[in-house]
């Protein structure tokens, strides 16, 4: 086959992905091999690929492709999440544009629209992942709302309810007025905002006296049911047992006393609104206060808001300030900074609200999860610093509010058979529920049995993900679950360490008494060059598919990974992808060079080539050891950098130059075979990172059967290697660089052969003399016992190398140049020695700085000695 002069990723990516799919290389079924399993963090079903997905899934693909090459039965399960809040919001918005209000639809009618939306836009992201090269087992694709997945969620709820771990409670919850649902504490972000502190006068009943309270939310006075003071506060002792009148509402409410009130904050008097503040609720329960909820579910005011009914809370805040001022109830206003809770999903300001909700008790569930990560290290987090974050969250955990006021999601399997709050049964099916309900109320019918309208939190389905994708909730004895679970590695972002990772650990120990995975690799965030988080609004988030089209999937993968150390944010720059593409071109051109050589069976392998083959084999083994160590520590970026250096520096820059035949001359068959063997090992190492390029070159090297494709070949085998030959070449490469520098500086053409004489003080090996001769075009290389006069020289360690001056060099000009260099270096040495003789500097500077200055001094002294020797030789 003719090899194209350029590597064209667009032409080969579809070709090889289709080939891999047709031959089912990604598919896994249980067999005799050891399994290696990853489950994908399921992206939102209607989402599209962004840079975070690119990074996360590239890392997963690297791990799965490497496992496949290492002989594991590699299984990467893909899928999507139903994302209840995000998806329902999109469907509601779509319906609104069509003139349809969700409130006018039945649940069944709304769900029909939601499923149509999901079927139309769902799964796009999985197709996009294929462009990246993701080698998922697509036959195993799961969706958290698949019938079997939903059944697992319902079964889990029923099981936990029966164990007494799920309960229904009337609690103060986080209410998202935009999504119109509750949120768990972890779904609320707190941000510092500048607001106002309003000082309001409440008139004391039957008196002209006032008590002043301070509040950041004047609109909530319409829900006030008491004013509270500290019983130890002498300022208010005369008010004991009295009542105040709420401004505007003109309701009479009691003055109560409680140690909870901070006498130093505000005025020392606290307005109590039990329906709209968690601490006020506690006070209200303690003092049997009335609860007045003034808000609708969209945070507009209801009828308790009087003439403000129907208006948004923030509009009312501005208007009520004016009214309070007009009636003389506003004492003063101060600028005040406070933390405001916002919804992670919609960004709406959270409203504390009293509501009947379902909760999962965390007290016992958290214990094995803490132990597994922080004590036994049965599960390891990478980087380890996230252990502290994990500990903090789990040691401060609260019961999980698992109900959501949404329709899109698994409907809570609680069925009401009466009007009382406790008149319900919990069952997996309505038929089972009816049977249970009839035992309590024989008159109940299927028509009068009403299922709870709420849906379960999306995380309550995805926490079962590693178990449920293999059917482990319904049938823990099935072959797939017993073979693939526990999984091996999880790759995800630290932002969902609690939301998802910790909860999967809870579920793992609760349902299987086993960890769900062994290692958690936490990626960083992808940011722009200015360290800003990527977002559509900033316009700094490139389309990943555009990047793939421009730089090729392999180029993008390499560009991302070279800068992605575990847990650290990536400062993304398109230049990184350009570097990845350049790397791909370098490998392609190296391959074309090798394949372009004429091969002869009639000639022997030169000594230089034999040494080169031996050296590169040792170097590859040394790098393989380094790569394995990086993978063990989940330093994926470092593993790639080790391969990058092996390929760019050792293979392309040194090895190929060492074995390259003379111009228009053939290469011997033995050396050529060694080159192909080296290239194939390089491709094996590259394949997890650059699957398309590596497979393309692999298939060009020789005709391969489907069983011989690179994707199912084998990882290079670790063997013992000669460390001495590596050290000898490192020394030889410095000699080669020294000769090349002199050739360049003195404009000596490579075509002109030169002599090299060595004063071998280092007792250096002569192993690579044939390589030195070839790569520097020496007419002779000989050892001498004393310095050579009239020669240019350089040092490698304590060895001195001399190149006798020929007619090609202007001796006078060279002496002038060396004299200038000597003068500059002597000046530099004086400045360094000046620092080192300054006692104040030496006593105050860090040890590392002093060590660096001493190294500068030693280097300068050595350079001066070499220049002086060269001058002596030339004069």
């Amino acid at each position: 086959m003719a090899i194209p002069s350029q590597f064209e990723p667009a032409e080969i990516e579809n070709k090889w992905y289709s080939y891999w799919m047709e031959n089912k290389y990604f598919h896994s079924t249980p067999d005799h091999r050891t399994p290696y399993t990853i489950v994908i963090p399921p992206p939102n079903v209607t989402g599209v690929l962004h840079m975070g997905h690119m990074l996360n899934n590239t890392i997963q693909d690297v791990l799965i492709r490497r496992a496949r090459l290492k002989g594991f039965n590699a299984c990467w399960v893909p899928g999507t999440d139903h994302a209840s809040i995000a998806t329902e919001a999109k469907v509601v918005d779509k319906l609104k544009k069509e003139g349809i209000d969700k409130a006018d639809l039945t649940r069944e009618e709304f769900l029909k629209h939601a499923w149509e939306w999901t079927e139309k836009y769902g799964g796009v992201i999985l197709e996009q992942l294929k462009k990246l090269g993701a080698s998922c087992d697509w036959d195993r694709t799961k969706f958290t709302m698949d019938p079997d997945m939903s059944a697992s969620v319902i079964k889990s709820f029923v099981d936990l309810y029966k164990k007494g771990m799920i309960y229904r409670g009337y609690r103060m919850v986080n209410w998202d007025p935009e999504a119109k649902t509750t949120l768990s504490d972890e779904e609320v972000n707190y941000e510092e905002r500048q607001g106002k502190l309003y000082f309001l006068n409440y008139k004391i009943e039957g008196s002209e006296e006032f008590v002043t309270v301070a509040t950041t939310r004047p609109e909530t006075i319409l829900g006030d049911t008491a004013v509270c003071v500290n019983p130890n506060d002498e300022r208010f002792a005369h008010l004991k047992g009295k009542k105040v009148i709420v401004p505007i509402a003109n309701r009479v409410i009691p003055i109560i006393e409680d140690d909870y009130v901070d006498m130093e904050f505000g005025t020392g008097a606290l307005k109590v609104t039990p329906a709209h503040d968690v601490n006020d609720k506690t006070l209200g329960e303690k003092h049997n206060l009335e609860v007045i909820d003034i808000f609708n579910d969209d945070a507009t005011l209801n009828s308790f808001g009087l003439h403000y009914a129907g208006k948004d809370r923030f509009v009312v805040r501005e208007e009520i300030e004016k009214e309070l001022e007009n009636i003389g109830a506003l004492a003063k206003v101060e600028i005040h900074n406070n933390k405001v809770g916002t919804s992670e999903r919609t960004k709406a300001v959270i409203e504390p609200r009293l509501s009947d909700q379902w909760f999962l008790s965390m007290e016992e569930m958290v214990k094995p999860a803490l132990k597994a990560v922080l004590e036994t290290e049965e599960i390891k987090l990478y980087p380890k610093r996230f252990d502290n974050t994990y500990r903090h969250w789990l040691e401060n955990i609260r019961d999980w509010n698992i109900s959501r006021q949404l329709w899109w999601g698994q409907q809570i399997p609680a069925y009401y058979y009466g009007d009382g709050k406790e008149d319900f049964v919990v069952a997996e099916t309505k038929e089972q529920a009816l049977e249970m309900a009839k035992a309590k109320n024989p008159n109940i019918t299927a028509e009068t049995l009403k299922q709870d309208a709420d849906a379960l939190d999306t995380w309550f389905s995805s926490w079962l993900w590693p178990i449920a994708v293999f059917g482990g909730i319904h049938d823990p004895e099935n072959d797939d679950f017993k073979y693939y679970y526990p999984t091996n590695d999880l790759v995800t972002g630290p932002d969902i360490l609690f939301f998802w990772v910790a909860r999967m650990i809870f579920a793992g120990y609760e349902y299987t008494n086993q960890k769900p995975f062994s290692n958690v690799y936490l990626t960083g965030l992808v940011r722009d060059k200015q360290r800003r988080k990527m977002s559509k609004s900033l316009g700094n988030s490139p389309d990943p598919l555009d990047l793939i089209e421009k730089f090729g999937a392999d180029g993008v993968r390499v560009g991302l990974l070279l800068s992605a150390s575990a847990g650290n944010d990536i400062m993304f720059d398109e230049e990184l992808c350009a570097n990845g593409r350049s790397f791909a071109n370098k490998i392609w051109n190296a391959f074309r060079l090798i394949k372009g050589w004429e091969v002869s069976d009639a000639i022997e392998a030169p000594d230089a080539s034999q040494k080169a083959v031996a050296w590169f084999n040792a170097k590859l083994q040394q790098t393989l050891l380094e790569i394995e160590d990086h993978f063990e520590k989940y330093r994926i970026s470092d593993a790639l950098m080790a391969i990058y250096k092996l390929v760019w520096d050792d293979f392309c820059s040194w090895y190929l130059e060492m074995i390259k035949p003379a111009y228009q001359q053939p290469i011997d068959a033995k050396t050529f075979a060694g080159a192909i063997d080296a290239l194939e090992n390089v491709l094996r190492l590259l394949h997890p990172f650059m699957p398309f390029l590596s497979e393309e070159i692999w298939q060009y090297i020789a005709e391969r059967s489907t069983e011989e494709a690179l994707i199912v070949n084998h990882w290079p085998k670790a063997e013992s290697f000669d460390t001495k030959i590596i050290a000898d070449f490192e020394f030889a490469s410095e000699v080669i660089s020294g000769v090349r520098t002199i050739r360049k500086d003195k404009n000596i053409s490579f075509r002109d052969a030169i002599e090299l004489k060595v004063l071998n003080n280092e007792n250096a090996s002569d192993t690579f003399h044939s390589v030195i001769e070839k790569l520097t075009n020496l007419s002779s290389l000989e050892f001498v016992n004393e310095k050579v006069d009239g020669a240019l020289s350089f040092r490698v360690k304590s060895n001195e190398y001399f190149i006798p001056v020929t007619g090609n060099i202007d001796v006078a000009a060279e002496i002038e140049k060396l004299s200038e260099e000597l003068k500059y270096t002597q000046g530099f040495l004086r400045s360094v020695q000046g620092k080192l003789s300054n006692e104040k500097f030496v006593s105050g500077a860090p040890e590392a700085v002093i060590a660096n200055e001493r190294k500068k001094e030693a280097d300068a002294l050595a350079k001066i000695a070499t220049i002086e020797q060269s001058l002596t030789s030339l004069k």
Side-chain angles (χ1 to χ4, degrees):
M1 291 184 288
I3 302 169
S5 58
Q6 298 289 325
F7 174 61
E8 299 293 348
E11 292 177 17
I12 66 123
E13 285 168 1
N14 285 337
K15 175 180 77 175
W16 289 118
Y17 204 87
S18 298
Y19 175 79
W20 294 329
M21 289 284 283
E22 284 162 15
N23 288 287
K24 290 194 170 291
Y25 293 127
F26 305 161
H27 184 58
S28 172
T29 52
D31 62 21
H32 65 281
R33 291 174 293 169
T34 303
Y36 174 85
T37 318
I38 293 180
V39 291
I40 200 171
N44 288 3
V45 64
T46 57
V48 292
L49 201 63
H50 58 60
M51 295 306 292
H53 292 131
M54 290 278 280
L55 171 63
N56 184 293
N57 286 283
T58 296
I59 292 168
Q60 289 177 80
D61 196 45
V62 167
L63 293 173
I64 211 81
R65 286 180 181 271
R66 175 172 171 267
R68 207 178 275 125
L69 286 170
K70 286 179 82 73
F72 292 98
N73 188 350
C75 180
W76 182 13
V77 181
T80 50
D81 186 87
H82 64 277
S84 53
I85 295 177
T87 305
E88 184 150 327
K90 285 179 181 177
V91 176
V92 168
D93 187 54
K94 169 199 173 263
L95 292 172
K96 200 177 286 182
K97 288 172 183 171
E98 295 171 2
I100 302 169
D101 191 330
K102 178 190 170 186
D104 297 331
L105 299 175
T106 65
R107 187 186 200 108
E108 289 66 31
E109 287 168 341
F110 177 80
L111 289 177
K112 187 169 180 285
H113 286 287
W115 277 109
E116 284 172 0
W117 172 271
T118 301
E119 281 153 16
K120 184 175 180 181
Y121 297 103
V124 169
I125 192 166
L126 298 184
E127 290 304 308
Q128 292 176 322
L129 285 177
K130 293 176 181 177
K131 297 286 183 189
L132 182 66
S135 58
C136 302
D137 185 346
W138 299 108
D139 297 333
R140 291 183 177 274
T141 303
K142 286 289 184 184
F143 174 43
T144 51
M145 287 278 281
D146 284 343
D148 62 323
M149 299 293 281
S150 287
S152 294
V153 174
I154 299 305
K155 187 177 178 70
S156 167
F157 182 98
V158 174
D159 172 68
L160 293 168
Y161 177 77
K162 286 178 179 174
K163 290 174 179 173
M165 296 171 73
I166 284 180
Y167 62 93
R168 189 160 171 75
Y170 187 63
R171 298 280 187 85
M172 184 71 72
V173 295
N174 305 301
W175 183 260
D176 181 336
E178 190 170 315
K180 297 180 185 175
T181 183
T182 58
L183 301 177
S184 67
D185 293 337
E186 294 74 33
E187 292 168 298
V188 178
N189 295 326
Y190 289 91
E191 49 192 66
E192 195 82 26
R193 287 192 182 180
Q194 189 180 78
K196 295 177 180 178
L197 188 63
Y198 303 83
F199 291 79
L200 311 179
N201 291 330
Y202 286 52
K203 190 176 180 183
I204 297 167
E205 187 185 31
S207 162
E208 292 304 309
E209 194 180 347
F210 291 92
V211 63
T212 304
V213 302
T215 179
T216 57
R217 305 187 65 198
E219 68 278 10
T220 63
I221 66 170
L222 303 173
D224 285 358
T225 56
V227 166
C228 189
V229 296
N230 193 302
N232 302 310
D233 197 331
E234 292 179 3
R235 292 174 295 175
F236 303 112
H238 66 292
L239 298 179
K240 186 174 181 178
K242 295 191 177 182
K243 296 181 179 181
V244 296
I245 301 166
V246 179
I248 300 174
N250 293 319
R251 275 186 297 103
V252 177
I253 59 175
I255 295 174
I256 61 173
E257 294 180 312
D258 201 285
D259 291 335
Y260 167 74
V261 178
D262 181 355
M263 292 188 287
E264 304 300 319
F265 180 76
T267 65
L270 177 76
K271 64 187 279 302
V272 184
T273 320
H276 300 297
D277 182 274
V278 66
N279 297 313
D280 289 8
K281 174 184 176 284
T282 304
L283 277 174
E285 288 172 345
K286 185 175 176 181
H287 296 274
N288 296 312
L289 299 177
E290 185 184 1
V291 177
I292 301 174
D293 186 347
I294 66 168
F295 289 123
N296 295 311
D297 61 5
D298 61 354
T300 57
L301 272 69
N302 59 26
S303 60
F304 288 108
L306 307 175
H307 47 286
Y308 293 111
K311 291 185 177 180
D312 182 76
R313 55 189 165 158
F314 297 120
V315 172
V316 175
R317 187 173 298 176
E318 290 182 11
E319 292 183 1
I320 209 167
E321 179 184 357
K322 291 173 186 172
E323 184 174 357
L324 289 164
E325 188 174 11
N326 291 338
I327 64 173
L330 183 63
K332 63 175 179 176
V333 179
E334 294 178 354
I335 296 301
H336 178 72
N337 289 337
N338 66 326
K339 283 191 173 179
V340 176
T342 60
S343 167
E344 188 194 43
R345 292 287 183 190
T346 66
K347 311 306 176 192
V349 173
I350 293 302
E351 194 61 57
R353 191 181 194 194
L354 281 168
S355 176
D356 282 309
Q357 300 291 334
W358 293 90
F359 295 87
L360 174 57
S361 173
M362 291 280 104
E363 188 178 353
E364 292 302 317
M365 196 167 266
V366 77
K367 291 176 182 175
L370 274 166
K371 185 179 179 183
V373 173
L374 303 172
E375 293 178 29
T376 64
E377 295 191 352
E378 191 174 26
I379 299 170
K380 292 185 172 70
L381 305 184
Y382 295 90
K384 190 168 174 56
R385 68 172 186 271
F386 284 107
D387 282 7
N388 290 330
T389 308
Y390 183 87
R391 181 194 298 277
H392 175 75
W393 277 339
L394 268 62
E395 288 182 348
N396 294 280
I397 200 167
R398 293 168 63 183
D399 286 357
W400 179 7
N401 171 9
I402 57 174
S403 47
R404 298 289 178 270
Q405 289 60 57
L406 300 166
W407 283 348
W408 179 242
Q410 288 89 11
Q411 191 172 355
I412 289 176
Y415 298 83
Y416 296 85
Y417 56 85
D419 297 328
K421 282 190 175 183
E422 301 302 316
D423 294 345
F424 65 84
V425 293
V426 170
E428 289 183 48
T429 66
K430 189 167 185 177
E431 291 73 28
Q432 291 171 358
L434 183 59
E435 195 177 319
M436 292 167 70
K438 279 188 172 180
K440 296 173 182 288
N441 178 357
N443 299 319
I444 199 77
T445 65
E447 289 69 37
T448 55
L449 189 67
K450 301 296 179 192
Q451 188 172 355
D452 194 305
D454 288 355
L456 285 158
D457 180 9
T458 300
W459 297 108
F460 192 80
S461 61
S462 55
W463 80 318
L464 301 175
W465 186 249
I467 305 172
V469 294
F470 297 115
I473 296 292
H474 270 288
D475 181 12
E477 293 304 310
N478 80 75
D479 290 344
D480 275 10
F481 184 66
K482 286 165 73 177
Y483 180 74
Y484 292 114
Y485 187 91
T487 68
N488 295 76
D489 296 327
L490 179 75
V491 182
T492 190
D495 52 327
I496 55 174
L497 178 57
F498 180 81
F499 284 130
W500 190 47
V501 179
R503 286 169 175 166
M504 283 190 288
I505 297 171
F506 299 161
Y509 286 106
E510 178 63 30
Y511 286 107
T512 73
N513 204 28
Q514 291 186 84
K515 60 186 177 183
F517 30 70
S518 298
N519 306 291
V520 181
Y521 179 101
L522 297 157
T523 66
L525 288 173
V526 184
R527 299 182 180 275
D528 68 10
K529 287 185 287 186
Q530 298 169 49
R531 305 189 72 85
R532 298 177 304 176
K533 193 173 178 179
M534 288 191 167
S535 69
K536 287 179 184 175
S537 58
L538 287 174
N540 63 346
S541 182
D543 183 333
L545 296 186
D546 289 346
L547 291 175
I548 288 172
E549 190 176 333
K550 187 174 179 181
F551 301 107
D554 291 332
V556 175
R557 289 166 67 116
V558 167
L560 271 171
L561 288 179
L562 279 178
S563 56
S565 54
N568 295 324
D569 290 352
I570 294 172
M571 304 305 118
F572 180 76
D573 184 349
E574 276 198 22
E575 193 58 37
L576 295 168
C577 297
N579 290 345
R581 183 183 58 188
S582 297
F583 186 46
N585 288 334
K586 180 84 170 176
I587 299 160
W588 184 257
N589 289 333
F591 161 62
R592 287 184 66 244
L593 174 71
I594 295 169
K595 288 297 276 186
W597 290 335
E598 181 189 340
V599 183
S600 170
D601 291 316
I603 54 178
E604 292 292 318
D607 182 70
S609 296
Q610 291 180 47
K611 295 296 194 304
V613 170
W615 165 75
F616 186 77
N617 287 342
K619 189 68 181 174
L620 184 132
Q621 287 298 324
Q622 183 190 54
T623 307
L624 184 59
L625 247 163
E626 187 184 336
I627 293 164
E628 296 292 359
D629 182 59
H630 288 319
F631 269 109
E632 269 183 36
K633 294 167 182 168
Y634 290 83
R635 297 195 301 240
I636 313 297
S637 176
D638 292 343
L640 175 57
M641 182 52 78
I643 296 168
Y644 185 97
K645 288 176 178 174
L646 177 78
V647 175
W648 194 290
D649 299 339
D650 301 320
F651 185 74
C652 296
S653 300
W654 285 116
Y655 178 66
L656 294 183
E657 287 299 309
M658 288 152 75
I659 64 168
K660 186 168 68 175
Y663 181 63
Q664 291 189 336
Q665 296 298 309
I667 188 170
D668 67 278
K670 185 180 177 183
T671 301
F672 182 77
I676 293 296
D677 184 58
L679 176 61
E680 287 186 339
N681 273 324
V682 161
L683 295 175
R684 290 181 178 106
L685 292 174
L686 281 168
H687 181 75
F689 299 93
M690 307 178 80
F692 296 109
L693 169 77
S694 56
E695 189 74 75
E696 174 80 348
I697 295 175
W698 181 267
Q699 299 282 352
Y700 259 120
I701 289 172
E703 210 171 298
R704 317 272 190 182
S705 67
T706 53
E707 291 79 19
E708 295 170 325
L710 178 55
I711 188 174
V712 288
N713 195 256
H714 62 82
W715 191 247
K717 291 177 174 60
E719 297 169 355
S720 59
F721 60 94
D722 182 356
T723 54
K724 186 177 182 300
I725 199 170
I726 295 172
D728 287 348
F729 180 72
E730 278 181 21
F731 192 93
S733 67
E734 288 188 52
V735 176
I736 293 164
S737 296
V739 176
R740 285 174 170 174
T741 299
I742 285 178
R743 276 189 178 277
K744 182 183 173 187
D745 289 351
K746 313 311 176 202
N747 292 318
I748 304 171
S749 169
F750 187 78
R751 288 192 296 271
D752 298 334
I754 55 176
E755 296 175 37
L756 183 66
K757 301 186 185 296
V758 188
L759 189 56
N760 194 12
N761 300 320
E762 192 73 23
N763 196 26
S765 164
D766 62 357
T767 302
F768 286 97
H769 278 190
S770 58
V771 171
I772 295 170
E773 289 170 352
K774 177 177 180 177
L775 296 188
T776 58
N777 191 16
L778 300 182
S779 57
S780 67
L781 191 162
E782 62 177 289
F783 290 103
V784 293
N785 296 318
E786 55 186 27
K787 298 179 188 297
V788 178
D789 292 332
L792 300 167
S793 65
F794 63 91
R795 284 174 178 262
V796 176
K797 294 186 179 174
S798 61
N799 266 18
E800 290 184 74
Y801 294 84
F802 302 93
I803 299 173
V805 173
T806 66
N808 293 326
I809 296 174
D810 183 336
V811 174
E814 186 60 27
I815 289 172
E816 186 180 345
K817 184 180 173 183
L818 285 170
S819 298
E820 282 296 314
E821 193 175 351
L822 179 63
K823 187 178 175 184
Y824 170 80
T825 309
Q826 286 169 333
F828 175 76
L829 177 64
R830 280 194 296 274
S831 71
V832 172
Q833 288 176 332
K835 275 187 187 180
L836 291 171
S837 61
N838 183 330
E839 280 185 28
K840 192 175 178 183
F841 171 76
V842 173
S843 60
E847 199 175 308
V849 173
I850 301 295
N852 190 43
E853 292 300 317
R854 294 203 190 286
K855 185 177 183 305
K856 286 181 188 176
E857 180 186 37
D859 289 346
L861 285 167
K863 190 170 182 181
I864 288 168
T866 302
I867 295 170
E868 286 175 339
Q869 175 61 44
S870 293
L871 283 169
T872 302
S873 300
L874 290 170
K875 286 174 182 175

